[in-house]
Amino acid sequence: EAGVAQSPRYKIIEKRQSVAFWCNPISGHATLYWYQQILGQGPKLLIQFQNNGVVDDSQLPKDRFSAERLKGVDSTLKIQPAKLEDSAVYLCASSLVVRQAIPGELFFGEGSRLTVL
Amino acid sequence: AQSVTQPDIHITVSEGASLELRCNYSYGATPYLFWYVQSPGQGLQLLLKYFSGDTLVQGIKGFEAEFKRSQSSFNLRKPSVHWSDAAEYFCAVSFTGGGNKLTFGTGTQLKVEL
């Protein structure tokens, strides 16, 4: 079974430039997550989709970050304009349909490492 | 809001020695608890999880964890560490109605000396 695919693995940009990350979840996984992992910290949820609808984007800096999941499959996370503090690893994860009673296992991709100079 | 504390940033153990990584959580009701491992340049892999029932849970790679409600803890253990266990370990918490949202601790970096 193929895992969660992410690209690019590494990206270096200058501040105020834009960047986009792509994620393809495990086939059949309705729920998709983007996490931000800053060096020395645990991952922090940015946005959660179920199919192509947003479930939670409360911690997404909406003035500069945007994400979409067209057709309920793959997803793109965009940052525009980037700031120095956006330097982090952006992890995509997917899971089967979320049931409120019992959380499902999240499967993570290898991440996209962003360096903002 | 729920939170997770991993008090040890770095831990070094000798190969073959036992290991315990600490995790404390803050949440009013019974949480769902997880341990993930992250090797360099890799994504996170689930080691084990606790939802309910037996408070001692077994995971992959010979790891186990014990849920202690009275101490709000979910410590990860392994009786004999292998060099390949060197990685970063994250404790995470979720809860009923949380929509599968995980809150992670800051992680513990494990170094294994040969």
Side-chain angles (χ1 to χ4, degrees), chain B residues 24-25 30-31 33 55 66-74:
Chain B
N24 293 95
Y25 66 90
T30 300
L33 295 158
T55 57
E66 186 171 13
F67 170 58
K68 293 185 177 180
R69 184 189 303 274
S70 61
Q71 299 176 20
S72 297
S73 70
F74 188 57

Side-chain angles (χ1 to χ4, degrees), chain A residues 9 33 35 37 40-43 45 48 55-56 58-59 91 95 98 100-110, chain B residues 32 34 36 38 40-46 49 51 88 90 94-107:
Chain A
R9 289 294 310 277
Y33 315 76
Y35 280 83
Q37 186 177 15
Q41 300 181 19
L45 180 68
Q48 177 182 342
V55 174
D56 184 349
S58 57
Q59 298 194 81
L91 294 166
S95 70
V98 171
Q100 290 297 316
I102 300 175
E105 178 179 351
L106 271 64
F107 294 82
F108 285 83
E110 295 181 328
Chain B
Y32 300 121
F34 306 80
Y36 281 84
Q38 186 177 36
Q42 302 295 314
L44 285 83
Q45 180 184 23
L46 180 67
K49 60 190 176 187
F51 288 170
E88 188 152 25
F90 291 93
S94 181
F95 58 95
T96 302
N100 231 23
K101 177 180 177 179
L102 289 178
T103 298
F104 285 87
T106 52

